[in-house]
Amino acid sequence: MSEIILTGVRPTGPLHIGHLSGALQANVDIQNTGKYDKMYGMIADAQGLTDNFDNPAKIHDNVLQVALDMLAIGYDPTRTTMFLQSAVAELTELTFYYMNLVTVARLQRNPTVKTEISQKEKFNTGIPVGFMTYPISQAADITAFNANVIPVGNDQLPMIEQTVEIVHKFNSIYGQTLVTPRAIIPTSGVAARLPGTDGNAKMSKSLGNCIYLKDSSDEIAAKVKTMFTDPNHIRVEDPGNTTENPVFMYLSVFAKPEHFAAFMPEYANYTELATHYERGGLGDVKVKRFLNAVLQETLRPIRERREMFERDPGAVMEILKNGTIDARNVAADTVKRVKTAMKLNFFD
Ligand code: ATP
Ligand code: MG
């Protein structure tokens, strides 16, 4: 069976190492296997507006930032169709038709939406219909491109379930038209939910606890130096906690055998290092120095590629424009099939 993959990022801020570990590295790895028929990388600017409608400049400015981040980590426009959601008008058209297939109660039950609403203070006075219905627009994004494989984090599973329901309902009422997608979860554990440098459970731009892919070498070093560790690990000889300690959590995700060989040769791997810290006798300064070296090695090539693309923002926008033309053609074909199935093909 053919495989068509859709990945998406909201341009609500520059990308950080949580995005890298939780989603983007896995997407690039999938791209590089080449074992699929087509891959799309959507910048979800229209969806970004559903909870940032009062800040259009933020979404506007971050489209380029996120495109740069994607290219820097290895999204390859010759293999992946990178495109801008708002420039594919067909997606809003599909959303409108799919709205008939979802009840208000079903939207209110969506666990991802429920959690997000509870976390957004600005929705205390009311929830925009656009935000409430974003799972429907996600179904449009997926089905427009006939995508059947969607790499997601655990928290996004309810979205794919809702898309599957919409597809089944559409096909059962209007005849077999849409492709049923399935989610794959390429990351798990700490990588799927990287904590913030402040020890908060999630690295998130709104919490200001991020190490960004575009951070300079000095910024990375300064952030690592002031990172939260185990507050009960006061003297070097004290036993330390590694499981709720972001320094160790980052190391468990990013430290490779070659990093140990180059910067920490007295330990062969993460387990040896963590065991020593838990036993006591290993100081935070030494571990942080190692983490800094690991992150510098990991992020330097990304930053250098980013700087290369930054020199020609016009070329980056051209990549998005060409990808969008390609995406739009595919989506237009889907709209045509959808409208025919719904008996709305009057002027064909
Ligand atoms: P927003 O707050 O605007 O939703 P976000 O940081 O959640 O921004 P998204 O574009 O919604 O960014 O997420 C892109 C992907 O990155 C998602 O799959 C999300 O789960 C993942 N992601 C975001 N933050 C982290 C994190 N701290 N650890 C692991 N994965 C993350
Ligand atoms: Mg999000």
Side-chain angles (χ1 to χ4, degrees):
M1 200 182 76
S2 77
E3 291 211 324
I4 298 174
I5 298 168
L6 178 77
T7 69
V9 195
R10 291 154 44 96
T12 51
L15 300 181
H16 52 64
I17 59 172
H19 295 116
L20 189 66
S21 74
L24 290 150
Q25 187 59 54
N27 295 345
V28 170
D29 291 344
I30 294 170
Q31 168 193 275
N32 292 343
T33 65
K35 290 188 191 146
Y36 54 86
D37 298 279
K38 187 148 184 186
M39 180 153 160
Y40 293 90
M42 178 176 78
I43 300 185
D45 57 343
Q47 192 198 107
L49 277 174
T50 61
D51 52 341
N52 294 283
F53 53 86
D54 49 355
N55 195 351
K58 171 171 154 184
I59 301 298
H60 174 270
D61 296 348
N62 281 307
V63 164
L64 178 63
Q65 294 308 313
V66 164
L68 287 168
D69 286 327
M70 290 166 80
L71 291 165
I73 62 164
Y75 269 80
D76 173 359
T78 67
R79 298 200 247 183
T80 299
T81 300
M82 289 174 61
F83 73 96
L84 203 53
Q85 185 188 33
S86 67
V88 182
E90 287 77 6
L91 298 175
T92 48
E93 203 172 348
L94 289 175
T95 303
F96 192 65
Y97 296 133
Y98 296 169
M99 281 183 178
N100 299 331
L101 307 177
V102 182
T103 64
V104 173
R106 177 65 181 89
L107 282 177
Q108 286 168 334
R109 268 202 317 273
N110 185 307
T112 311
V113 174
K114 263 164 97 172
T115 312
E116 286 175 341
I117 287 172
S118 69
Q119 290 166 347
K120 285 183 209 297
E121 217 164 289
K122 72 166 132 186
F123 290 174
N124 284 350
T125 49
I127 304 153
V129 173
F131 183 82
M132 207 58 213
T133 56
Y134 96 74
I136 305 178
S137 95
Q138 236 169 44
D141 300 334
I142 293 169
T143 55
F145 306 106
N146 309 306
N148 56 353
V149 181
I150 321 294
V152 290
N154 244 326
D155 58 328
Q156 292 292 309
L157 281 178
M159 294 297 169
I160 311 301
E161 270 165 38
Q162 186 137 31
T163 298
V164 169
E165 284 173 31
I166 290 171
V167 167
H168 286 166
K169 193 150 187 194
F170 189 100
N171 288 344
S172 73
I173 297 173
Y174 305 112
Q176 185 62 37
T177 310
L178 302 174
V179 177
T180 306
R182 85 188 142 86
I184 54 167
I185 303 182
T187 55
S188 62
V190 175
R193 195 186 169 82
L194 205 70
T197 51
D198 59 354
N200 188 293
K202 195 181 167 196
M203 179 174 288
S204 158
K205 33 208 170 209
S206 50
L207 297 173
N209 59 7
C210 305
I211 295 177
Y212 292 104
L213 301 183
K214 68 186 180 81
D215 277 349
S216 69
S217 169
D218 288 348
E219 282 168 322
I220 297 166
K223 287 179 180 180
V224 171
K225 206 171 255 173
T226 56
M227 258 179 85
F228 180 87
T229 62
D230 173 4
N232 299 318
H233 185 250
I234 296 158
R235 291 164 311 166
V236 172
E237 57 274 24
D238 290 339
N241 177 311
T242 56
T243 53
E244 285 153 39
N245 180 335
V247 173
F248 275 89
M249 293 161 92
Y250 293 4
L251 283 173
S252 75
V253 172
F254 294 106
K256 305 262 154 57
E258 60 265 30
H259 296 135
F260 281 96
F263 307 111
M264 233 359 172
E266 57 273 44
Y267 305 93
N269 52 41
Y270 175 79
T271 311
E272 284 187 13
L273 184 75
T275 308
H276 190 181
Y277 190 81
E278 283 163 12
R279 192 169 65 231
L282 178 56
D284 283 310
V285 173
K286 188 171 173 187
V287 186
K288 281 186 171 179
R289 211 177 290 141
F290 179 48
L291 175 62
N292 179 51
V294 169
L295 291 180
Q296 298 289 352
E297 289 292 302
T298 307
L299 297 178
R300 185 184 313 111
I302 295 176
R303 188 172 56 243
E304 284 172 0
R305 271 177 66 81
R306 201 182 194 281
E307 282 163 1
M308 187 185 84
F309 285 108
E310 264 169 27
R311 274 180 230 127
D312 193 353
V316 175
M317 292 315 289
E318 196 63 23
I319 288 170
L320 286 187
K321 193 171 164 191
N322 289 332
T324 302
I325 291 169
D326 173 25
R328 205 165 178 192
N329 282 330
V330 179
D333 181 69
T334 303
V335 166
K336 207 170 163 156
R337 286 186 293 109
V338 160
K339 290 184 78 174
T340 303
M342 297 179 79
K343 304 197 180 303
L344 295 172
N345 53 332
F346 290 103
F347 304 129
D348 281 355

